[in-house]
């Protein structure tokens, strides 16, 4: 956080000055003009006294620049709650790769964004939060709806600005966009007092804040190139390997490196497993794909990590859901390589033998050129055969003979229709893991989930944001009865804006993931996770909010027909599925356990030792 702000400096002169350069505009009008300059197509937010000047400026801009079809050029989407606005902005960013923008008022409006901001920071999502604030003259006086936003957000965001000098507003906001999208992306918060919004200012059109240290680090990282010696070391290690494996994280998607990863992996025949956040970074239907690894990854991916002798981490950070016991993660790897945009992630959890800090796509392209120039053609056919056997022997599976609807069957049915092309958003819990396991993801930015924070209530508003980002795409929210309750008010947002969003609630009448842990680790004491006495009727709620197609599915034999009708409906559709309340998420790597000790459950074949003593306590959820 920079307080006070440094003096603004002009950016390098553009080819032509901004058409409005030199005009005198209110601070609010300058904010709107910058949003236009930055290419914002949609905003999300809830109004209030301290942000009214900006809301008025947005209204006037849209009224003055209506498109030929009568639509607004930069619509402001109003949610049920500011937290919804934050997750909508994040969903828009995740689906589009652009900076998502939320605009809210002071006090409770701003504090309701804390969770979405932290969620975006944890998952490296580019986002901008513009918060109204009480006038500068009363800052610190506990004025009506005042909150110390800069202090609160400083530990949650990539950067926070409090604009107390009106002349710094334009430079600050332009720099906020720059910081949000550059390097390792993340959320930036700009807290703007009401008097700054009302101030009359000379518009520059290009100025930025002088942040020389940050820009110098960005330039150094962007210009960092793999040298000949580094490439030779990498390929010397690969030449000695017999069982190489690529471990790809969300950084592949953030870096727009999916195509480079595909070319690199297929050129040298290296199998790929992805993290939860990396799903879609490599086509999960490709023969080299092992789908997801980790606590609830596929058994064959986790066994591949156990067996590999050369691990290549790309845009991945060895987090605790992947490397719960770092010393026992990839235990047979003789060589570990890591490429990341963030130097702080290199060696933070797991020591590596080779690393490069720089843009991932450029690094993969450089390695590809080096390998091709030296005709590197390693033979990994025995490794491929081994992995094919793992896939056959340890495939995902569940109770297909049960008379109850199994959640995995619901996902499989939807997947058959969508063929890996739908945008899938989720809440957090068992339904999130079933969706990650049983959907195909053919391309990046088709999977939206709260990874690091694990934020219940994320799925519905994020799907709304994604639908605005991709209006012609099929967007589906796979949610749980516990998770969707957190932001159920956003059902009305779906129908208010005429979105064709599809929502599936897998209802197991409780907090299923926590209940699974209680069953395994707490002798089945289901403390505060049973929802059987709750009176919420989700079908009636969706009907009340105007959904054109609403259904509750309770019979297994109706599954295929109902799913087909649900997906074929042209508008907003809501499907509640009453699933087997005892269905579990497997595989599962318990706390303090290695992949060799993975619990595969009753329907997936395991190898090696059993993973768990039922009454074992756990420090990591």
């Amino acid at each position: 956080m920079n307080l006070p702000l440094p003096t603004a400096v002009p950016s390098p002169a553009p080819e032509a000055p901004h058409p409005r350069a030199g005009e005198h505009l209110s601070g609010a009008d300058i904010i709107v003009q910058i949003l236009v300059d930055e290419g914002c197509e949609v905003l999300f937010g809830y109004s209030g006294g301290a942000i009214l000047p900006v809301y008025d400026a947005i209204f006037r801009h849209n009224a003055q620049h209506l498109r030929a079809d009568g639509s607004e050029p930069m619509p402001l989407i109003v949610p049920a709650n500011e937290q919804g606005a934050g997750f909508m902005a994040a969903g828009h960013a995740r689906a589009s790769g652009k900076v998502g923008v939320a605009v809210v008022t002071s006090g409770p409006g701003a504090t309701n964004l804390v969770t979405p901001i932290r969620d975006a920071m944890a998952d490296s999502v580019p986002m901008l939060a513009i918060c109204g604030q009480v006038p500068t003259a009363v800052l610190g006086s506990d004025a009506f709806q005042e909150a110390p936003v800069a202090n609160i957000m400083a530990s949650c965001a990539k950067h926070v600005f409090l604009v107390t000098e009106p002349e710094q507003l334009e430079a600050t906001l332009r720099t906020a966009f720059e910081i949000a999208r550059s390097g390792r992306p993340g959320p930036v918060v700009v807290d703007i007092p009401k008097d700054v919004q009302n101030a009359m200012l000379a518009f520059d059109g290009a100025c930025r804040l002088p942040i020389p240290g940050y820009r110098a680090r960005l330039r150094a990282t962007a210009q960092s190139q793999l040298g000949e010696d580094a490439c030779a070391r990498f390929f010397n290690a690969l030449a000695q390997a017999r069982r190489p494996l690529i471990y790809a994280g969300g950084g592949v998607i953030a870096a727009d490196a999916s195509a480079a990863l595909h070319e690199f992996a297929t050129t040298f025949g290296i199998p790929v497993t992805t993290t939860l956040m990396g799903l879609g970074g490599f086509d999960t239907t490709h023969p080299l794909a092992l789908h997801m690894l980790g606590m609830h990854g596929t058994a064959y991916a986790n066994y591949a990590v156990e067996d590999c002798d050369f691990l290549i981490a790309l845009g991945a950070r060895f987090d605790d859901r992947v490397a719960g016991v770092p010393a026992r993660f990839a235990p047979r790897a003789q060589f570990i390589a890591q490429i990341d945009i963030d130097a702080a992630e290199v060696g933070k959890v797991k020591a590596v033998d080779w690393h490069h800090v720089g843009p991932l796509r450029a690094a993969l392209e450089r390695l590809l050129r080096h390998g091709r120039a030296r005709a590197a053609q390693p033979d990994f056919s025995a490794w491929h055969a081994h992995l094919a056997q793992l896939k056959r022997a340890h495939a995902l599976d569940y109770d297909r003979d049960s008379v109850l609807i199994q959640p995995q069957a619901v996902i499989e049915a939807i997947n058959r229709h969508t063929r890996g092309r739908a945008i899938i958003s989720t809440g957090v819990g068992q339904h999130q893991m079933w969706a990650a396991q049983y959907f195909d993801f053919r391309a990046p930015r088709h999977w939206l989930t709260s990874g690091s924070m694990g934020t219940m209530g994320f799925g519905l508003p994020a799907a709304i944001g994604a639908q605005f980002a991709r209006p012609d795409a099929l967007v589906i929210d796979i949610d749980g009865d516990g998770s969707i309750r957190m932001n159920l008010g956003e059902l009305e947002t779906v129908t208010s804006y005429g979105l064709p969003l599809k929502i599936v609630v897998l209802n197991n009448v409780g907090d299923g993931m926590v209940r699974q842990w209680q069953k395994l680790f707490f002798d089945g004491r289901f403390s505060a996770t049973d929802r059987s006495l709750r009176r919420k009727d989700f079908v009636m709620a969706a009907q009340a909010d105007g959904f054109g197609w609403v259904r509750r599915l309770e019979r297994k034999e109706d599954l295929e027909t109902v799913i087909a009708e649900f997906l074929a409906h042209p508008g907003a559709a809501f499907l509640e599925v009453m699933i087997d309340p005892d269905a579990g998420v497997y595989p599962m790597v318990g706390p303090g356990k290695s992949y060799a000790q993975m619990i595969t459950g009753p329907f997936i074949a395991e190898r090696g030792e059993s993973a768990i003593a039922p009454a074992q306590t756990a420090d990591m959820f």
Side-chain angles (χ1 to χ4, degrees), residues 227-275:
E228 190 70 17
D229 290 346
C231 290
R233 280 194 65 218
F234 181 93
F235 277 98
N236 286 341
L238 185 62
Q240 297 174 38
R242 296 294 177 265
R243 301 181 302 278
L245 180 65
I246 292 172
Y247 150 46
V252 171
I253 296 171
D256 192 24
S258 297
L261 171 59
H262 179 272
E263 190 169 6
F264 179 81
T266 54
T267 297
F268 302 114
I270 306 175
V272 179
T273 182
T274 70
T275 65

Side-chain angles (χ1 to χ4, degrees), residues 6-19:
T7 303
V9 295
S11 294
E15 294 182 4
H18 194 287

Side-chain angles (χ1 to χ4, degrees), residues 143-186:
F144 178 67
Q145 290 194 336
E146 180 184 3
V149 171
N151 295 332
I152 293 170
M153 295 288 197
S155 59
C156 298
K158 183 177 179 181
H159 203 84
V160 181
F161 294 102
L162 170 60
V163 185
T164 56
E165 299 176 22
E167 295 76 13
Q168 303 297 311
L169 175 62
E170 180 181 351
T172 300
L173 203 55
R174 292 189 189 280
T175 304
F177 272 100
E178 177 187 353
I179 293 172
R181 66 165 62 96
S182 59
R184 183 175 181 172

Side-chain angles (χ1 to χ4, degrees), residues 368-392:
L368 189 64
R369 291 194 301 271
H370 182 97
R372 283 175 168 167
R374 283 146 188 80
Q377 291 294 331
D379 180 10
F380 300 129
S381 56
W383 177 227
H384 294 163
H386 175 71
L387 295 179
Q389 174 58 27
L390 288 180
K391 284 184 177 182
R392 288 191 296 270

Side-chain angles (χ1 to χ4, degrees), residues 476-530:
I476 305 173
D477 172 33
I478 303 295
D479 232 313
D481 57 298
S483 192
I484 199 171
R485 273 188 175 94
M486 298 281 187
N487 276 309
L488 191 64
E490 304 306 344
L491 287 178
E492 183 184 18
T493 310
V494 175
T495 53
S496 293
Y497 292 95
L499 302 178
L501 192 63
K502 306 296 184 284
I503 301 169
V504 180
V505 174
L506 300 178
N507 192 341
N508 56 10
V509 198
D511 296 328
M513 184 62 84
V514 182
R515 198 163 56 189
Q516 180 171 332
W517 278 65
Q518 289 171 330
K519 181 178 180 180
L520 291 172
F521 300 109
F522 295 90
D523 291 333
R525 295 184 293 275
F526 300 124
S527 176
T529 53
D530 183 6

Side-chain angles (χ1 to χ4, degrees), residues 83 87 115 119 426-429 431 450 453-459 461 479-487 510-512 514 531:
Q83 185 183 104
F87 286 138
T115 299
D119 189 272
T426 78
V428 169
H431 67 276
S450 174
M453 272 285 280
T455 311
M456 294 174 70
F458 172 91
D479 232 313
D481 57 298
S483 192
I484 199 171
R485 273 188 175 94
M486 298 281 187
N487 276 309
D511 296 328
V514 182
R531 299 288 181 269

Side-chain angles (χ1 to χ4, degrees), residues 398 400 408-420 438-440 559-560 563 567:
Y398 57 92
R400 297 179 184 272
Q408 301 94 330
V410 179
I411 303 299
E412 286 184 327
I414 297 172
N415 192 55
R416 282 193 290 273
H417 286 270
T418 58
R419 300 180 181 180
Y438 285 88
F439 271 117
D440 293 322
L559 176 61
E560 294 294 337
I563 292 296
L567 293 173

Side-chain angles (χ1 to χ4, degrees), residues 551-562:
R551 181 81 179 267
R552 178 180 292 118
L553 176 60
E554 299 180 272
R555 301 194 320 155
K556 181 179 178 180
E557 53 267 33
D558 297 333
L559 176 61
E560 294 294 337
T561 301
V562 170

